[in-house]
Amino acid sequence: MTDAVAVLGDSHTLPLLREILYGYRRFSELATLTGAPRSLLTSRLRRLEAAGVVTRRRYSERPPRDEYVLTEAGVDLVPVLLALKVWGDRHTGGDATPTAIFRHRCGAELHPVSVCGACGEEIRAGEFDVAGGTHPPVLRP
Amino acid sequence: MTDAVAVLGDSHTLPLLREILYGYRRFSELATLTGAPRSLLTSRLRRLEAAGVVTRRRYSERPPRDEYVLTEAGVDLVPVLLALKVWGDRHTGGDATPTAIFRHRCGAELHPVSVCGACGEEIRAGEFDVAGGTHPPVLRP
């Protein structure tokens, strides 16, 4: 996770990724939504490209214009973005918070839950412990 | 999510939260694990306290010593931290990445999956769309 955070961890990267996930792919849209100056937005997009989570796709030759789409690694960030949204909706902001409501393809309003891939139970703190690895945590109760 | 990111979004906050989740609660442990200078670690811990995700608990009166534990809002960050870990394990690092292996209480190695709370299906990009809210995304295919 240290490396995930190294890739994602400044206060502008995740909001920018969110807008791209939401389908805002063009520089001008991203500039408006994030409020970032153009030079800063350019460098952040380059950073996402370098990290392999976003790629450019040319949609106009004259004038030359690219849009930004998620790579497979970028699409794999969906659970992270959704988990952050769930937490933000619950614990921050209030009425002023811009909050989207999603509908899952099953028809229900989307409320993401993090479950164990084996048993399907919701994962809660204290209900898992360390089985190994190179950074063995303590996980005190 | 913008607000969630405002709380979490510097490159040091999530690694620090991770160590606390893993059960490293003492200043000296956190200093060793994060490699942060003491003054910086203090200010980051204060920031997490101010954000309401961590609280101090005195474990020694003489000398006065506090440990840092997750609040309820902090515990609610578990899905975010796990989703980041899944992504990081898949897309970053390699052998050099410190990676913990967890075991869920069901006995299986923990592989967190983000599912729809209604139908239980794994959530994938492109399988949900916008039903409303104050920041209506485009979600282009």
Side-chain angles (χ1 to χ4, degrees):
Chain A
M1 209 204 71
T2 305
D3 282 9
V5 169
V7 171
L8 305 173
D10 73 58
S11 51
H12 309 287
T13 302
L14 286 170
L16 180 55
L17 270 174
R18 175 182 63 165
E19 304 306 342
I20 296 170
L21 169 72
Y22 283 2
Y24 296 102
R25 294 178 177 160
R26 299 188 175 179
F27 191 91
S28 56
E29 294 172 327
L30 295 171
T32 304
L33 286 162
T34 62
R38 299 179 73 83
S39 61
L40 211 54
L41 181 57
T42 299
S43 69
R44 284 171 191 161
L45 286 165
R46 291 288 172 283
R47 210 169 140 236
L48 291 178
E49 273 191 276
V53 295
V54 153
T55 187
R56 258 181 292 176
R57 193 163 65 187
R58 183 138 295 192
Y59 68 88
S60 160
E61 288 297 341
R62 270 181 287 178
R65 292 276 183 275
D66 297 319
E67 57 183 10
Y68 296 84
V69 293
L70 295 175
T71 62
E72 193 190 324
V75 166
D76 279 349
L77 280 169
V78 168
V80 177
L81 293 162
L82 289 176
L84 270 170
K85 174 174 159 39
V86 169
W87 188 83
D89 286 352
R90 190 174 300 161
H91 291 291
T92 67
D95 291 348
T97 316
T99 288
I101 297 167
F102 296 118
R103 180 172 292 121
H104 191 235
R105 63 168 182 169
C106 74
E109 195 175 296
L110 182 62
H111 294 286
V113 181
S114 182
V115 304
C116 167
C119 73
E121 287 292 309
E122 183 170 357
I123 300 164
R124 295 170 211 275
E127 297 187 352
F128 53 94
D129 58 19
V130 185
T134 53
H135 181 70
V138 174
L139 282 178
R140 293 200 193 98
Chain B
M1 206 203 72
T2 304
D3 282 8
V5 170
V7 171
L8 304 174
D10 73 56
S11 50
H12 309 286
T13 302
L14 286 171
L16 180 54
L17 270 175
R18 175 183 62 165
E19 303 307 341
I20 296 171
L21 169 72
Y22 284 1
Y24 298 101
R25 295 180 177 159
R26 300 187 174 180
F27 192 91
S28 56
E29 294 172 328
L30 297 170
T32 304
L33 286 162
T34 63
R38 299 180 73 84
S39 61
L40 211 55
L41 181 57
T42 300
S43 69
R44 284 171 192 161
L45 285 166
R46 292 289 172 279
R47 211 170 138 236
L48 291 178
E49 272 191 277
V53 296
V54 153
T55 189
R56 257 180 293 174
R57 194 164 64 187
R58 182 139 296 192
Y59 68 88
S60 159
E61 287 297 339
R62 270 182 287 180
R65 291 278 184 272
D66 297 319
E67 56 184 11
Y68 296 84
V69 293
L70 296 176
T71 62
E72 194 190 323
V75 166
D76 280 349
L77 280 168
V78 167
V80 177
L81 293 163
L82 289 177
L84 271 170
K85 173 173 161 40
V86 169
W87 188 84
D89 286 352
R90 190 175 299 160
H91 291 291
T92 67
D95 291 346
T97 315
T99 287
I101 297 166
F102 296 117
R103 181 171 292 122
H104 191 235
R105 63 166 181 170
C106 74
E109 196 176 296
L110 183 63
H111 294 286
V113 181
S114 182
V115 304
C116 167
C119 73
E121 286 294 309
E122 182 169 356
I123 300 164
R124 295 170 210 276
E127 297 187 351
F128 54 95
D129 59 18
V130 186
T134 54
H135 182 72
V138 173
L139 283 178
R140 293 197 193 99

